[in-house]
Amino acid sequence: MTTATARRTPADKHDERRRALADSALRTLGELGYARASLREIANNSEFSHGVVHYYFHDKLELIVYCVRQYKATCVHRYDGVVADATTPEGLVEGFAEKLVETIVDEAPMHRLWYDLRSQSMFEESLREAVLQIDQTLEDMVWRVVSTYAELAGRAVAMTPHVTYGLLDGLFQQALLAHLCGREAALDDLRAQVVELMPVLLAPEGPTATGA
C-alpha cells in the first residue's frame, strides 16, 4: 500500500464516490433535462442503485447542481490552449470560434442541461446561487479570451466583462438550439458571427482594458 493510498480519508473516499456518481449521471441528465430526470431515473441509467445515489445526494437538485459544477469546472479551461498558443488577434479569433463549434458538436447535451438549469433558476430560488456562481466562472473564461485578443490587437475592450459575456453567450446559445434543431448552417454561422463580433468588442484606440 502506497503512502498516498494509506492517507486517503473517509471524506476523500466519499468525494470520489460523489464524483463517480456525477460522471455517471451526466449523460442521463443531458438527455432528459432538469424536469424529467429523477434520482430513480438517473439510477436506472447508471451502474448505481437508487439507494446508493440517494445516499450520496439528498435530492435531485443537489445531484444536478453538483454535476453541472463538476462539468463546468472542466469547461472553463477549454480555451486556455487557444489563448496560450495565439500569436495574432486573427489566429485567436479563429481558434476560439473553432473551439466553440467543437464543443457544441461533442457536448451538446451537457450545454443543453446547463441552459435548462439556468432557466429553472428563474423559478427555483434554491438554484440561483449555484447558477450565478457558475455563470461568473464562464464570464471570467470568456473575458480571458477577449482581453487577450485585445492585447494582441493593441487595443482596449470597449465593453465590460458582463456585456461581453452576454453577447458571446447569446450567440452560442442560439447556435446550440439551431444545431439541436438540425440546421446544417448553424455551426458555420456561429464561426462567422464570432469572427464578425470580436472586432466590435474593441475600442478604436487606447491602452488595453483591464476589465474595469
Side-chain angles (χ1 to χ4, degrees):
M1 180 180 294
T2 65
T3 302
T5 303
R7 290 178 178 173
R8 288 174 68 237
T9 67
D12 293 333
K13 295 176 182 179
H14 185 271
D15 290 343
E16 288 175 8
R17 191 67 160 173
R18 280 167 63 90
R19 286 193 293 270
L21 281 164
D23 287 340
S24 178
L26 273 171
R27 180 176 298 180
T28 299
L29 290 169
E31 292 173 355
L32 297 180
Y34 177 83
R36 293 169 57 201
S38 65
L39 285 184
R40 188 172 298 279
E41 187 71 29
I42 292 166
N44 289 341
N45 287 278
S46 75
E47 67 270 33
F48 302 101
S49 69
H50 177 253
V52 169
V53 175
H54 199 275
Y55 174 78
Y56 285 96
F57 295 96
H58 177 68
D59 54 22
K60 179 181 75 171
L61 174 62
E62 183 183 3
L63 172 59
I64 290 178
V65 169
Y66 184 92
C67 286
V68 174
R69 281 185 186 277
Q70 182 166 299
Y71 173 69
K72 290 300 183 182
T74 302
C75 282
V76 295
H77 299 292
R78 177 176 288 115
Y79 307 101
D80 289 354
V82 173
V83 171
D85 295 341
T87 57
T88 66
E90 295 79 13
L92 176 57
V93 172
E94 290 175 4
F96 178 47
E98 196 58 41
K99 272 292 183 181
L100 289 171
V101 167
E102 180 184 300
T103 188
I104 286 180
V105 172
D106 294 343
E107 301 171 2
M110 299 301 99
H111 295 300
R112 180 172 61 182
L113 175 62
W114 161 242
Y115 286 117
D116 184 16
L117 191 66
R118 194 162 73 175
S119 296
Q120 289 293 332
S121 71
M122 298 286 187
F123 304 96
E124 295 203 29
E125 185 176 355
S126 55
L127 283 171
R128 291 173 191 166
E129 182 179 356
V131 165
L132 287 172
Q133 289 174 355
I134 294 169
D135 229 14
Q136 185 61 56
T137 64
L138 298 175
E139 180 179 310
D140 294 342
M141 172 193 72
V142 168
W143 185 252
R144 287 195 296 273
V145 175
V146 175
S147 59
T148 301
Y149 170 66
E151 290 174 6
L152 290 170
R155 294 160 64 183
V157 184
M159 304 176 189
T160 66
H162 190 62
V163 172
T164 300
Y165 170 58
L167 290 170
L168 285 164
D169 182 64
L171 291 181
F172 185 84
Q173 185 175 9
Q174 290 175 346
L176 174 65
L177 177 58
H179 176 70
L180 292 170
C181 291
R183 297 180 185 174
E184 295 183 1
L187 301 181
D188 287 336
D189 287 346
L190 177 60
R191 288 189 187 92
Q193 289 164 355
V194 171
V195 169
E196 291 173 1
L197 175 63
M198 290 290 275
V200 177
L201 300 176
L202 303 186
E205 60 184 10
T208 301
T210 60

